Amino acid sequence: MSTALLVLGLTSPAVAHAATDDVVAVQAVSPESSSAKSVSVSCPSGTKVVGVGGSVTGERTTITRVRPSDDLSSVEVTAVEHGAGTVQQWTVKARAKCAPGEVTLVAKSGTKNAEAQCPGQQKALGVGGEIADNGVHFTKMAPKSNLKSAVIETSGDADVTAYAICGTRPGLVLRGGTTSVVMTKTGTKGVACQGDEQVISAGGAVGSSAIISDVEPVGPGATVTGEAADAQGQAIRWSITPYAVCSQ
């Protein structure tokens, strides 16, 4: 297993106590085409990326890269066609949650899976990842239950990098973790933040030979979409688990 480690500390105008309304959501959508594509979105001035997500439209398409920039000013999302591909037009969307304050980007590389750990008392606000091989796909993109690290798992033996966006926010909590069985070819599950909490980032995991196509912080919570099919393209039994990092 390779072990490349990158830690970058970044500071934007600090606030003594963050509030739910200081988190700004931004997004960008790629042009339509039937080929691999990328799109990026930037945070407003005075804020940094705290949460990330990506999604695709169309069948047999999936995200393979959700990459925060080194200075945490933006996020880039890449998606590809998989399996038999598609002749239909499709798009990829990049989502970012942005907020003022001190944040740190930690990257850890490995083979098939990787875990990036946050330093000191910081916790994982957001999780990103990228895969070197377009034939390998995400099966997990989520923080650990204690929010101390970001975990990426994939469907094959390819080089992968996990990105943890680390920081502190009041009332930080991980919601979700309940696994559902899916009997259809594709499925989407969501989890909501509670009370006056605001969603910071999204995570998800799939099992039983499925792959992740979307992970998005959206609305009051987060969603994860996956797809599973056998060699003949028929639906099989698989599982899906959504996560949301929430803050007061």
Side-chain angles (χ1 to χ4, degrees):
M1 177 179 292
S2 59
T3 56
L5 177 64
L6 170 69
V7 180
L8 295 170
L10 303 157
T11 305
S12 59
V15 292
H17 297 285
T20 56
D21 59 1
D22 71 349
V23 179
V24 178
V26 293
Q27 65 181 43
V29 181
S30 73
E32 290 186 339
S33 67
S34 185
S35 62
K37 58 181 70 70
S38 297
V39 65
S40 62
V41 64
S42 297
C43 285
S45 177
T47 66
K48 296 293 184 181
V49 175
V50 293
V52 296
S55 63
V56 289
T57 59
E59 295 184 355
R60 295 184 293 277
T61 58
T62 181
I63 56 173
T64 56
R65 186 174 192 248
V66 181
R67 171 65 162 99
S69 63
D70 290 346
D71 63 359
L72 286 173
S73 65
S74 64
V75 59
E76 181 180 30
V77 178
T78 299
V80 300
E81 299 175 14
H82 65 86
T86 177
V87 297
Q88 303 298 317
Q89 301 284 71
W90 58 278
T91 62
V92 57
K93 178 185 294 183
R95 289 183 181 269
K97 292 283 189 169
C98 309
E102 184 175 343
V103 283
T104 303
L105 179 66
V106 180
K108 184 67 176 291
S109 297
T111 301
K112 191 170 183 176
N113 57 70
E115 181 176 346
Q117 297 187 346
C118 290
Q121 298 301 308
Q122 291 187 336
K123 293 188 176 182
L125 305 176
V127 179
E130 61 181 321
I131 308 170
D133 186 344
N134 285 345
V136 175
H137 308 295
F138 293 120
T139 58
K140 185 172 186 177
M141 181 185 293
K144 291 287 287 290
S145 59
N146 61 3
L147 289 176
K148 285 301 296 177
S149 62
V151 177
I152 296 294
E153 297 178 0
T154 66
S155 60
D157 293 327
D159 291 339
V160 61
T161 301
Y163 297 100
I165 303 169
C166 306
T168 58
R169 289 188 64 84
L172 202 65
V173 64
L174 181 65
R175 299 294 184 193
T178 300
T179 300
S180 301
V181 174
V182 182
M183 301 296 291
T184 54
K185 186 176 179 181
T186 62
T188 299
K189 293 295 179 180
V191 58
C193 295
Q194 298 181 8
D196 60 356
E197 295 172 350
Q198 184 171 6
V199 62
I200 302 300
S201 65
V206 294
S208 302
S209 301
I211 63 172
I212 290 174
S213 54
D214 304 342
V215 175
E216 292 190 286
V218 59
T223 63
V224 57
T225 300
E227 178 178 346
D230 62 18
Q232 287 73 45
Q234 300 300 312
I236 63 174
R237 182 186 179 95
W238 55 288
S239 63
I240 188 168
T241 309
Y243 300 90
V245 178
C246 305
S247 174
Q248 293 182 343

